[in-house]
Amino acid sequence: MAVAPSTGERVALGLARALFDGLEALLAVSPLPLEVALSSASQVGRARARFSGRWPSAAEVAALFGTGPLASRRLALAVAAAEARNRLVVRRSQGRSLARFAPLVEWRDAAAAAGLQPPLVLVTAHIGALYLLAAGFDQLGLHRTVLRWSPIHEPAPGERLVATAGGLVGRTHALLRGVEALRRGEFVVTALEGEHGAGESVNVLGRPLQLGRGAFALARQRGVRVVPVAALWRGNRVVCELGSPVAGPADAGRWLEALLRREPEQISLGLLRQLLLGPALGAPGEDALRR
């Protein structure tokens, strides 16, 4: 049975949280070159995880991936470092152009990415360098409508952001804008999981995860394909990669699981916690994760 922290421990944790939050805020406004700031943010994230033991904890990682003690601690620190880098990206891009991040972003298969032909629905998940995926799209000059909970960066030329917030009305409005974009022969981009309407439970890493059906409903409306895409951290740089077309939420869940089994450090803290909320449906991981 877990022991509740004492008053002194709670005060210490609160002070530490304020310290780490302050360091992140300073990095966001510092004149440091972007790669140096990202490297510094990684160290802050690792330090936060070491001090708190829960950003995430090694036990959480082990429960999801089935990793041993040493691998779990190493993976927990890697997830914390990526979480801190993403928080820095959000702070530095809030309402601003992503152009400054462009030199850090590339495509794993540039020829395949350049060969994408609209109309097409592109789906992603809360993994890796999610907030810099748009910089990869900018490199390709994709004219796109992005359906997301709320805008973060300043839209680039050819990018239209449509908020899905606002309950059923907001989601319906976003889907209609998506249909119009496909009708115009453009790309539509959205996340598989998160705030959405109708969803389907799929098995990811032995846990249930709700994936939205909206992207697939859009694709059926216009008879187009759904292709998964991810922006993955490689140190302080980002590599974007395409997956094979997916037919529905279950197929998309298999794409997501395969990616996380291959690169578990790409999971976001939010997605990790979301998966752990569900009951274990099977074995959490494979021997390939014990590295």
Side-chain angles (χ1 to χ4, degrees):
M1 182 175 178
V3 178
S6 66
T7 300
E9 289 171 331
R10 287 196 299 270
V11 170
L13 287 171
L15 290 173
R17 185 182 302 114
L19 170 63
F20 290 123
D21 287 349
L23 288 173
E24 287 185 352
L26 285 174
L27 285 173
V29 298
S30 75
L32 289 172
L34 189 52
E35 286 198 71
V36 176
L38 286 167
S39 181
S40 300
S42 295
Q43 296 307 313
V44 170
R46 288 174 180 273
R48 186 194 290 260
R50 287 191 181 97
F51 181 85
S52 69
R54 58 185 186 186
W55 211 67
S57 70
E60 287 175 316
V61 169
L64 185 59
F65 290 105
T67 43
L70 290 177
S72 296
R73 283 195 288 273
R74 186 169 64 245
L75 183 50
L77 293 178
V79 171
E83 185 75 14
R85 286 194 297 269
N86 282 331
R87 286 158 68 109
L88 178 68
V89 168
V90 170
R91 284 177 180 269
R92 285 206 171 190
S93 63
Q94 195 75 46
R96 303 180 182 92
S97 167
L98 290 180
R100 74 189 71 184
F101 295 97
L104 305 182
V105 181
E106 62 183 275
W107 287 87
R108 182 176 183 180
D109 188 337
L116 288 172
Q117 294 296 319
L120 191 67
V121 177
L122 298 170
V123 293
T124 190
H126 288 77
I127 54 176
L130 171 67
Y131 305 111
L132 292 181
L133 183 57
F137 292 148
D138 292 344
Q139 289 181 3
L140 302 176
L142 298 191
H143 285 263
R144 61 198 186 272
T145 293
V146 182
L147 313 183
R148 61 172 304 132
W149 181 250
S150 61
I152 294 177
H153 61 272
E154 177 185 288
E159 180 183 21
R160 182 182 295 103
L161 299 178
V162 179
T164 59
L168 179 61
V169 173
R171 292 193 298 270
T172 302
H173 171 78
L175 288 174
L176 289 174
R177 299 292 80 78
V179 171
E180 292 171 1
L182 294 175
R183 187 180 294 122
R184 289 192 300 268
E186 297 178 359
F187 294 91
V188 171
V189 183
T190 190
L192 287 163
E193 84 303 8
E195 295 289 342
H196 50 68
E200 180 175 322
S201 181
V202 303
N203 186 334
V204 175
L205 296 172
R207 303 276 177 160
L209 179 66
Q210 285 285 320
L211 297 186
R213 294 177 177 150
F216 302 98
L218 281 175
R220 286 193 300 271
Q221 283 256 350
R222 303 303 302 171
V224 305
R225 297 180 304 159
V226 178
V227 174
V229 60
L232 306 176
W233 285 111
R234 295 287 183 268
N236 296 323
R237 303 184 71 83
V238 177
V239 174
C240 301
E241 64 173 46
L242 298 169
S244 299
V246 290
D251 208 10
R254 285 188 284 272
W255 164 79
L256 177 58
E257 175 164 335
L259 191 154
L260 291 176
R261 287 193 183 282
R262 187 184 85 220
E263 299 189 48
E265 66 276 7
Q266 301 292 342
I267 194 169
S268 68
L269 182 59
L271 179 56
L272 185 149
R273 297 264 169 83
Q274 187 178 352
L275 286 168
L276 287 177
L277 284 174
L281 303 175
E286 296 180 334
D287 289 341
L289 294 178
R290 298 180 183 275
R291 52 188 174 86

